[in-house]
Amino acid sequence: AQSVAQPEDQVNVAEGNPLTVKCTYSVSGNPYLFWYVQYPNRGLQFLLKYITGDNLVKGSYGFEAEFNKSQTSFHLKKPSALVSDSALYFCAVRASGAGSYQLTFGKGTKLSVIP
Amino acid sequence: DAGVIQSPRHEVTEMGQEVTLRCKPISGHDYLFWYRQTMMRGLELLIYFNNNVPIDDSGMPEDRFSAKMPNASFSTLKIQPSEPRDSAVYFCALRRNTEAFFGQGTRLTVV
């Protein structure tokens, strides 16, 4: 069975500082990895994905994530946090094989950027 | 939120009543999913459809839950009878290629 772990329920960071939201995964075969963001009273919005190729992927709003196969991690990063980045962030994984359908989400990490 | 419209946005109902949540995917997709989000469990996959056919409903918590997709532009999730522990935010999502697109969700409160 595939799974995602987001070890931190909450991350606090000062505005302008770099931020990291951690994610590790478990899946059979090669993974497809995703980050989503959820603002209050909204659905999840896609941020970025890793399918294949360069381990460092860049996404929306200045976010990036690094795929590390040996550590089975896909941490989300941003060089300089904004107050508007405060939201709930979800990491998700799906197996890459044909017929793989299920996107498994982590429990989410609440990011608070302090002015 | 682009591509998926859910209604109602909020629903408050009394225990024992029937509740129907609606989802309208407004653009092309190959899969449609229903998720439930709670503080305790996070996001749980309830059921998914491929080409309007239910493929896996193993995530549906009980027989009180049922879902249909009569055509590519409409799906419903029904709870009958509803219970307070069903209170959650229910999301419909569609998958296009490798990405999933979520609706804004329906916040259900059963009192």
Side-chain angles (χ1 to χ4, degrees):
Chain A
Q2 57 195 41
S3 63
V4 174
Q6 293 182 242
E8 302 153 317
D9 291 336
Q10 178 146 357
V11 170
N12 298 321
V13 64
E15 186 177 24
N17 282 2
L19 69 87
T20 299
V21 183
K22 296 179 181 177
C23 170
T24 58
Y25 66 91
S26 174
V27 70
S28 297
N30 293 321
Y32 288 170
L33 293 157
F34 305 82
W35 276 101
Y36 286 82
V37 60
Q38 185 181 29
Y39 297 100
N41 300 315
R42 300 294 296 274
L44 278 68
Q45 298 177 30
F46 171 79
L47 267 183
L48 52 79
K49 66 182 177 183
Y50 170 82
I51 302 299
T52 187
D54 194 347
N55 288 345
L56 183 66
V57 293
K58 294 185 183 297
S60 308
Y61 313 120
F63 284 93
E64 59 188 30
E66 186 164 15
F67 170 58
N68 187 316
K69 189 172 183 177
S70 63
Q71 297 185 3
T72 61
S73 67
F74 190 56
H75 301 329
L76 181 70
K77 299 182 180 184
K78 187 173 182 180
S80 178
L82 300 172
V83 173
S84 57
D85 294 330
S86 299
L88 193 55
Y89 289 82
F90 290 92
C91 181
V93 68
R94 177 167 75 87
S96 60
S100 297
Y101 67 91
Q102 186 168 349
L103 195 58
T104 299
F105 287 86
K107 292 208 166 183
T109 298
K110 183 178 180 181
L111 173 67
S112 294
V113 181
I114 303 156
Chain B
D1 299 342
V4 186
I5 296 176
Q6 289 187 248
S7 63
R9 289 294 310 278
H10 302 274
E11 176 80 31
V12 180
T13 190
E14 291 185 346
M15 182 175 64
Q17 296 298 308
E18 177 181 298
V19 175
T20 299
L21 312 180
R22 297 174 181 79
C23 173
K24 292 185 66 176
I26 59 175
S27 52
H29 60 88
D30 52 2
Y31 292 92
L32 185 138
F33 304 83
W34 281 99
Y35 286 89
R36 177 172 68 175
Q37 185 180 32
T38 61
M39 290 289 292
M40 293 294 293
R41 292 197 170 100
L43 272 163
E44 302 172 277
L45 177 64
L46 301 177
I47 185 172
Y48 86 102
F49 295 83
N50 179 223
N51 294 326
N52 313 337
V53 176
I55 302 301
D56 186 347
D57 65 355
S58 60
M60 298 284 258
E62 298 173 34
D63 291 344
R64 298 183 295 108
F65 286 69
S66 63
K68 294 181 180 179
M69 191 167 185
N71 58 64
S73 302
F74 188 62
S75 178
T76 59
L77 178 68
K78 184 180 293 186
I79 309 172
Q80 165 63 21
S82 58
E83 296 183 4
R85 59 196 168 115
D86 301 332
S87 298
V89 181
Y90 291 80
F91 289 103
C92 177
L94 59 88
R95 196 185 88 176
R96 196 183 307 125
N97 298 320
T98 57
E99 295 174 28
F101 298 87
F102 284 76
Q104 290 190 309
T106 295
R107 181 176 295 277
L108 174 65
T109 303
V110 183
V111 298

